[in-house]
Every structure is written in structure tokens, then in C-alpha cells.
């Protein structure tokens, strides 16, 4: 059974204090690892998709990396508006309806 | 872009009544849509996968007769919670995949619907 574990559960940073979020996964036949951002009371907002070990993607202050067992979401010089819950999800299987399995998320708070 | 809308954004109903939630892909066609449920402080749990023109596939433990899903067009899927009870109160979120996308296509999520059953 697919498993996705995110750590830490919660993270408090000062504005400008860089850090990383972790997503560990066990899945047979990874067909994509996804990072989403979710604000309270809203649906997840797509950030990145990573497909193979060694792949990296960047968007503003965020950078996602992938190995064979885990992914990191690096946040460089965060701002208060980066505060949100960050969700990691994996997809396995080879059909167009392949499901996503989500982790529990990391709740990030960036203080000014 | 890839915009997904949901309606209503929140709904309060009495126990025993039915509630319909709509999920629309606004700027793309979606052959596959997904319905999730999220309880407070928890992650998203997949309820069912909806394919246009065919029956939905439900996850283990999800009652298909209670959560009716219809995917009648490439831009609309509906979730009907029948005979709702207080324990059905939750945040329901849909997502959609572009029909033009391949196996690796991203899921785009709607803003969610908050259901409160009294």
C-alpha cells in the first residue's frame, strides 16, 4: 500500500529564515510526486510535479527536489504570505484515472 | 490556466435531506474528476473517481448509494449526499484532469464546499 509521510507536522519560521519540508514515500511504480499549497478553507493549489530522481523545480522562493525515497520542498527567505499547509501526494499506476495518495501535510507559519 | 469551480461554497442542511455539490472545469475539458473529503486538521481522502459517461469508482469504505456521483459532461461532475447526517459534515473538494493530458497530467482542485448537517 502506498504511504506518504510528511515532516515536520508544523513549522514556525521567522521571515527570511530558510528551511525545508520533507515528504517520504513508499510506492511501487511512481508516476509523479506532487506538491500543493492549501490555505485554510480552500482547495489545494498546484505547485510542482516531479517525475524522476534528481529532478528539481523552482517557483519564486520554493524549490522542490526528488530522490528515490523522498522529496524536499525548500523555502528560501520565506515571507508571511508563504504561511499555509503544504501537501505532498504521490501517484502510482499506469491508467489515466490513477489516484493520488496524500500525506498529512506540513503547516507552515512564517512570522514577520 | 486550469480553473475548477465548485458550487455551493458552503451549505447547511437538516439531517435526512439531500445535498448536491457541483464541480466544473471552467477552461478545459476533463474526462476524469475526483471527489475528496477533508476533516479538520486532516489531509485529503479520496472518495471516488468519476469518469465522463461511465459509473464512478468508489474507494473502499465509501457508500456508493449515499454519495451519488454523476459525470454527465466533460466539464461537470456532481456529488449528491443523500439522507445526510451530522457525521457527513466535512469539507468536500473536487479535482479534475485535462482530457488532453496524458497519464502524467496534473490534478487541479476546486475551492471546496463546506457541508454542515444539523
Amino acid at each position: 500500500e502506498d504511504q506518504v509521510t510528511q515532516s515536520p507536522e508544523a513549522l514556525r519560521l521567522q521571515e527570511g529564515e530558510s528551511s525545508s519540508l520533507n515528504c517520504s514515500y513508499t510506492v511501487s511504480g511512481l508516476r509523479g510526486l506532487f506538491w500543493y499549497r492549501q490555505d485554510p478553507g480552500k482547495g489545494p493549489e498546484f505547485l510542482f510535479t516531479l517525475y524522476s530522481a534528481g529532478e528539481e523545480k523552482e517557483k519564486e522562493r520554493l524549490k522542490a527536489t526528488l530522490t528515490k525515497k523522498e522529496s524536499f520542498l525548500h523555502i528560501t527567505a520565506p515571507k508571511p504570505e508563504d504561511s499555509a499547509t503544504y501537501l505532498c501526494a504521490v501517484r502510482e499506476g499506469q491508467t489515466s484515472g490513477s489516484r493520488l495518495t496524500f500525506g498529512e501535510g506540513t503547516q507552515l507559519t512564517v512570522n514577520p | 490556466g486550469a480553473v475548477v469551480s465548485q458550487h455551493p461554497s458552503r451549505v447547511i442542511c437538516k439531517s435526512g435531506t439531500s445535498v448536491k455539490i457541483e464541480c466544473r472545469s471552467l477552461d478545459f475539458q476533463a474526462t476524469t474528476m475526483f471527489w475528496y473529503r477533508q476533516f479538520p486538521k486532516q489531509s485529503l481522502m479520496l472518495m471516488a473517481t468519476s469518469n465522463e459517461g461511465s459509473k464512478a469508482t468508489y474507494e473502499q469504505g465509501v457508500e456508493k448509494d449515499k454519495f451519488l456521483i454523476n459525470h454527465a459532461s466533460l466539464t461537470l461532475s456532481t456529488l449528491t449526499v443523500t439522507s445526510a447526517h451530522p457525521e457527513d459534515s466535512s469539507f468536500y473538494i473536487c479535482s479534475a484532469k485535462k482530457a488532453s493530458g496524458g497519464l502524467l497530467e496534473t490534478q487541479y482542485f476546486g475551492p471546496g464546499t463546506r457541508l454542515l448537517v444539523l
Side-chain angles (χ1 to χ4, degrees), chain B:
Chain B
V3 182
V4 178
S5 70
Q6 283 184 240
H7 178 78
S9 59
R10 58 181 64 190
V11 57
I12 301 173
C13 69
K14 293 182 179 180
S15 184
T17 61
S18 294
V19 174
K20 179 185 284 188
I21 302 171
E22 292 186 349
C23 175
R24 293 181 184 272
S25 55
L26 298 184
D27 54 359
F28 65 98
Q29 293 184 325
T31 49
T32 305
M33 290 184 170
F34 303 84
W35 286 96
Y36 294 83
R37 183 166 51 185
Q38 187 177 33
F39 292 105
K41 302 293 186 182
Q42 295 186 24
S43 193
L44 283 74
M45 295 298 296
L46 180 66
M47 298 176 65
T49 301
S50 168
N51 293 297
E52 187 264 338
S54 63
K55 291 183 178 180
T57 302
Y58 290 82
E59 295 298 302
Q60 191 172 6
V62 178
E63 301 174 59
K64 62 180 181 181
D65 294 330
K66 181 172 183 61
F67 299 99
L68 301 179
I69 292 173
N70 183 281
H71 192 159
S73 77
L74 288 174
T75 59
L76 173 64
S77 176
T78 60
L79 168 68
T80 301
V81 183
T82 62
S83 186
H85 292 285
E87 57 266 30
D88 298 323
S89 299
S90 188
F91 192 49
Y92 292 86
I93 311 173
C94 73
S95 70
K97 291 176 60 176
K98 293 181 180 179
S100 59
L103 299 178
L104 305 183
E105 183 57 58
T106 298
Q107 286 186 30
Y108 296 94
F109 285 82
T113 296
R114 176 76 59 190
L115 171 63
L116 176 61
V117 184
L118 303 176

Side-chain angles (χ1 to χ4, degrees), chain A residues 32-109:
Chain A
L33 185 141
F34 300 81
W35 282 99
Y36 290 87
R37 168 193 170 130
Q38 187 177 25
D39 293 299
K42 298 192 176 177
E45 174 190 343
F46 171 70
L47 294 174
F48 303 108
T49 309
L50 301 167
Y51 294 110
S52 56
E55 189 175 359
E56 299 182 351
K57 288 191 177 175
E58 288 187 68
K59 179 181 179 181
E60 297 181 354
R61 295 177 292 283
L62 300 177
K63 179 181 176 180
T65 62
L66 180 66
T67 71
K68 289 186 177 180
K69 294 187 176 181
E70 58 190 350
S71 176
F72 291 93
L73 184 64
H74 307 278
I75 303 177
T76 302
K79 297 182 178 181
E81 53 262 42
D82 294 323
S83 298
T85 295
Y86 290 84
L87 299 170
C88 167
V90 298
R91 177 172 63 199
E92 59 86 23
Q94 301 186 27
T95 67
S96 61
S98 297
R99 61 205 300 276
L100 293 181
T101 300
F102 279 86
E104 295 294 316
T106 293
Q107 185 174 357
L108 174 65
T109 303

